[in-house]
């Protein structure tokens, strides 16, 4: 059967003959995107697939989107491209269930730069764009202003330089607000996060540079950014200071500065995220390096459920703080409040826009004290912080309320082949409800 034609066109009358077992069989051989398209063919199919109860797909839980491990070999890019398969077919890995494939034909000769919901920001040699994972709708993005910045290699090692300064490096594209049909796909909001500067874009406009407090060459060393309630926030990796700008101001004047919640000699990895209700700013910090005495490396523990390699490390200090930056900005008193529990939620941070997942049905700890199940509530999951961050091929799970002696769960990814074919793994949440809101759900 031509699955692609069935998914795109409603089946031309074939759907009426399909039983539940037939649907299960078809869906088992489809990747995630085509399964969603199959669900959009009719309300009956949508109901069948949505009631699958996670046997084949695990909707609405964060998964790892990454290249198949078979292509993590150390070959030159031109040689590795001979197959072309790795260009467009990726692995979508639930943390406790079998991995699925996901076909992204629009990623041919492109690299992803960030994601939010069902949208991916991508780049090739010609420029940047937004693409919808399921509909493949393509939105070209304007170039950065030439008067401010000079382009170099855009796609694989994105290096740029000011006309009057040293090279700077693109870390990621932050999709703060996704384009919608109601907004004619021009209502998106994006941040181009570089290590030394930031650009902000609203759909239909041009990129605007956010001015820094310090002149060249003493720029902040940005490592993460988000947009919240009309303001852009960016955290400095050096000391955890957070800068924010009012995007309603046409000139994007010099930012406010929020002092870090912790001041000590530790080196932290800093992340920003909105609170679950979208009203408060959260800052998350973990110790930047993990390890044990004498540089011993724990053995890999193969996880039969999905083929990932797990490791146990000693506890890593992980903290979450929050504040309402807009109310405190008026008072001039920035006081972070520590968050000791995420309750039924977990945070998934990295190249993607922060995901706050409700995991009410999950446990917060393993009953027998082991690493699995790996998906748990009240945890912070961190992955690659940017597209160039290749020195740390590990994905961490840190419990905010660990038991005494509880270890940190780590997903360890191979280093081989990074410079040739591999893209940074990021969190992605497959959503079947896109069939109801975007794809043409047909009545039968």
């Amino acid at each position: 059967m031509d699955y692609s034609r069935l998914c795109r066109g409603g089946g031309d009358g074939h759907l009426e003959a399909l039983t539940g077992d037939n649907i299960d069989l078809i869906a088992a051989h489809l990747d995630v995107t085509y399964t969603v398209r199959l669900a959009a063919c009719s309300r009956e199919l949508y109901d069948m697939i949505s009631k699958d109860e996670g046997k084949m797909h695990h909707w609405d839980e964060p998964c790892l989107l990454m290249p198949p491990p078979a292509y993590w070999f150390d070959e030159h890019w031109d040689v590795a491209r001979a197959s072309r398969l790795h260009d467009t077919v990726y692995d979508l890995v639930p943390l406790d269930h079998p991995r699925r494939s996901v076909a992204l034909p629009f990623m041919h000769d492109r690299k992803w730069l960030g994601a939010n919901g069902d949208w991916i920001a991508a780049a090739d040699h010609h420029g940047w764009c937004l693409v919808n994972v399921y509909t493949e709708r393509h939105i070209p993005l304007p170039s950065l202003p030439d008067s401010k910045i000079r382009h170099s290699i855009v796609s694989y090692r994105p290096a740029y330089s000011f006309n009057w300064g040293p090279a700077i490096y693109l870390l990621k594209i932050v999709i703060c607000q996704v384009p919608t049909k109601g907004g004619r796909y021009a209502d998106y909001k994006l941040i181009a996060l570089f290590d030394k500067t930031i650009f902000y874009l609203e759909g239909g406009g041009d990129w605007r540079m956010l001015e820094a407090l310090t002149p060249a060459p003493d720029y902040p060393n940005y490592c993460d950014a988000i947009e919240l309630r009309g303001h852009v926030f960016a955290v400095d990796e050096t000391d955890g200071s957070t800068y924010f700008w009012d995007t309603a101001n046409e000139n994007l004047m010099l930012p406010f500065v929020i002092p870090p919640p912790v001041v000590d000699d530790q080196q932290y990895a800093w992340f920003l995220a909105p609170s679950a209700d979208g009203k408060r700013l959260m800052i998350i910090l973990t110790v930047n390096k993990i390890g044990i005495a004498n540089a011993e490396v724990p053995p890999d523990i193969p996880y039969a459920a999905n083929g990932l390699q797990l490791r146990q490390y000693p506890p890593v200090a992980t903290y979450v703080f929050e504040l309402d930056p807009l109310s405190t900005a008026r008072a001039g008193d920035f006081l972070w409040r520590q968050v000791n529990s995420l309750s039924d939620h977990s945070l998934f941070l990295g190249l993607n826009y922060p995901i706050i997942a409700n995991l009410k049905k999950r446990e917060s700890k393993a009953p027998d004290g082991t690493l699995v199940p790996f998906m748990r509530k009240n945890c912070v999951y961190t992955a690659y912080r940017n597209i160039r961050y290749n020195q740390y091929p590990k994905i961490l799970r840190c419990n905010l309320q660990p038991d005494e002696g509880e270890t940190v769960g780590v997903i360890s990814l191979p280093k081989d082949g990074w410079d040739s074919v591999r893209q940074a793994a990021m969190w992605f949440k497959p959503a079947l409800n896109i069939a109801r809101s975007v794809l043409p759900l047909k009545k039968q």
Side-chain angles (χ1 to χ4, degrees):
M1 181 180 293
D2 185 347
Y3 296 131
S4 61
R5 187 171 64 87
L6 174 66
C7 295
R8 287 196 301 267
D12 297 333
H14 295 298
L15 296 177
E16 293 86 344
L18 296 177
T19 65
D21 290 341
N22 295 143
I23 297 300
D24 289 345
L25 182 62
I26 292 174
H29 289 81
L30 294 178
D31 84 299
V32 173
T33 57
Y34 276 118
T35 300
V36 172
R37 292 171 187 168
L38 180 65
C41 289
S42 74
R43 297 188 183 277
E44 182 180 4
L45 285 172
Y46 180 91
D47 291 341
M48 287 182 183
I49 293 173
S50 64
K51 293 176 182 177
D52 176 59
E53 299 179 352
K55 295 176 183 177
M56 295 175 296
H57 297 282
H58 300 276
W59 309 110
D60 297 322
E61 281 196 358
C63 304
L64 281 171
L65 178 62
M66 58 187 184
Y71 295 102
W72 289 357
F73 40 73
D74 194 9
E75 288 188 4
H76 189 272
W77 176 257
D78 290 337
V79 176
R81 284 175 57 186
S83 159
R84 294 288 186 184
L85 178 63
H86 69 277
D87 267 349
T88 59
V89 179
Y90 298 86
D91 276 359
L92 191 63
V93 188
L95 295 188
D96 295 304
H97 302 283
R99 64 182 64 206
R100 302 288 299 184
S101 63
V102 53
L104 305 176
F106 57 84
M107 288 300 299
H108 177 67
D109 280 345
R110 286 192 173 118
K111 294 286 185 181
W112 57 55
L113 307 176
N116 187 351
D118 48 313
W119 289 87
I120 286 179
D124 58 21
H125 289 287
H126 305 291
W128 300 343
C129 64
L130 294 178
V131 189
N132 188 283
V133 170
Y134 302 108
T135 66
E136 298 181 23
R137 177 179 287 273
H138 178 275
I139 302 174
L141 298 177
S143 299
L144 292 173
D146 291 334
S147 61
K148 296 284 187 181
I149 204 165
R150 183 169 61 250
H151 298 253
S152 180
I153 301 173
V154 176
S155 55
Y156 306 122
R157 295 189 66 82
Y160 301 75
S161 63
F162 286 100
N163 293 335
W164 35 263
I168 60 175
Y169 294 96
L170 178 67
L171 305 183
K172 62 180 177 179
I173 298 294
V174 184
I175 307 176
C176 307
Q177 180 172 299
V178 300
T180 64
K181 185 177 181 180
R184 298 182 180 273
Y185 299 101
D187 51 347
Y188 55 85
K189 297 178 181 180
L190 308 177
I191 297 170
L193 179 65
F194 292 81
D195 57 347
K196 301 300 182 186
T197 193
I198 298 176
F199 285 83
Y200 179 71
L201 174 68
E202 293 183 351
D206 295 318
W207 289 101
R208 295 186 288 164
M209 179 185 285
L210 277 60
E211 299 294 339
L213 282 174
T214 53
D218 298 320
Y219 296 109
N221 189 24
Y222 299 119
C223 60
D224 202 9
I226 64 168
E227 191 264 357
L228 179 69
R229 296 166 62 186
H231 293 71
V232 170
F233 297 84
V235 61
D236 187 334
E237 186 172 35
T238 305
D239 64 359
S241 296
T242 300
Y243 302 83
F244 73 97
W245 298 259
D246 183 357
T247 60
N249 190 320
E250 287 293 329
N251 296 321
L252 288 177
M253 303 294 287
L254 295 177
F256 286 96
V257 182
I258 306 175
V262 173
V263 179
D264 58 29
D265 295 330
Q266 285 275 19
Q267 289 186 337
Y268 293 105
W270 303 87
F271 299 87
L272 296 177
S275 60
D277 61 7
K279 295 180 179 179
R280 296 177 302 282
L281 175 71
M282 294 198 297
I283 189 167
I284 302 94
L285 51 152
T286 66
V287 173
N288 204 16
K289 294 183 179 180
I290 63 173
I292 55 181
N294 302 319
E296 295 179 13
V297 177
D300 284 339
I301 305 171
Y303 192 14
N306 52 25
L308 294 173
Q309 300 291 321
L310 307 182
R311 291 180 184 175
Q312 297 187 75
Y313 280 86
V316 172
T318 301
Y319 306 98
V320 179
F321 296 87
E322 68 175 11
L323 57 70
D324 182 343
L326 303 189
S327 63
T328 53
R330 289 188 289 270
D333 186 14
F334 296 103
L335 293 177
W336 292 100
R337 182 185 70 86
Q338 186 167 358
V339 178
N340 295 311
S341 174
L342 297 173
S343 186
D344 292 331
H345 294 81
S346 283
L347 276 169
F348 294 81
L349 309 170
L351 191 60
N352 52 281
Y353 199 77
I355 297 174
I356 307 174
N358 189 328
L359 302 176
K360 186 176 182 179
K361 296 181 180 179
R362 293 281 188 164
E363 299 293 331
S364 59
K365 298 177 176 63
D368 55 359
T370 62
L371 286 175
V372 298
F374 204 82
M375 178 76 82
R376 302 179 191 175
K377 61 185 178 182
N378 198 31
C379 290
V380 174
Y381 293 79
T382 61
Y384 297 94
R385 293 190 289 163
N386 60 67
I387 56 178
R388 303 184 68 253
Y389 196 58
N390 59 355
Q391 301 92 349
Y392 197 56
K394 299 180 180 68
I395 296 166
L396 274 64
R397 179 197 63 205
C398 300
N399 195 327
L400 280 189
Q401 295 178 322
D403 290 332
E404 183 177 354
E406 181 177 342
T407 57
V408 171
V410 171
I411 297 172
S412 183
L413 303 180
K415 295 182 181 180
D416 293 342
W418 176 273
D419 288 331
S420 56
V421 298
R422 194 167 87 183
Q423 299 195 87
M426 63 181 177
W427 301 108
F428 179 83
K429 190 165 72 169
L432 189 62
N433 60 9
I434 192 70
R436 304 176 69 95
S437 58
V438 175
L439 296 171
L441 189 62
K442 296 179 172 59
K443 295 183 179 180
Q444 276 195 249

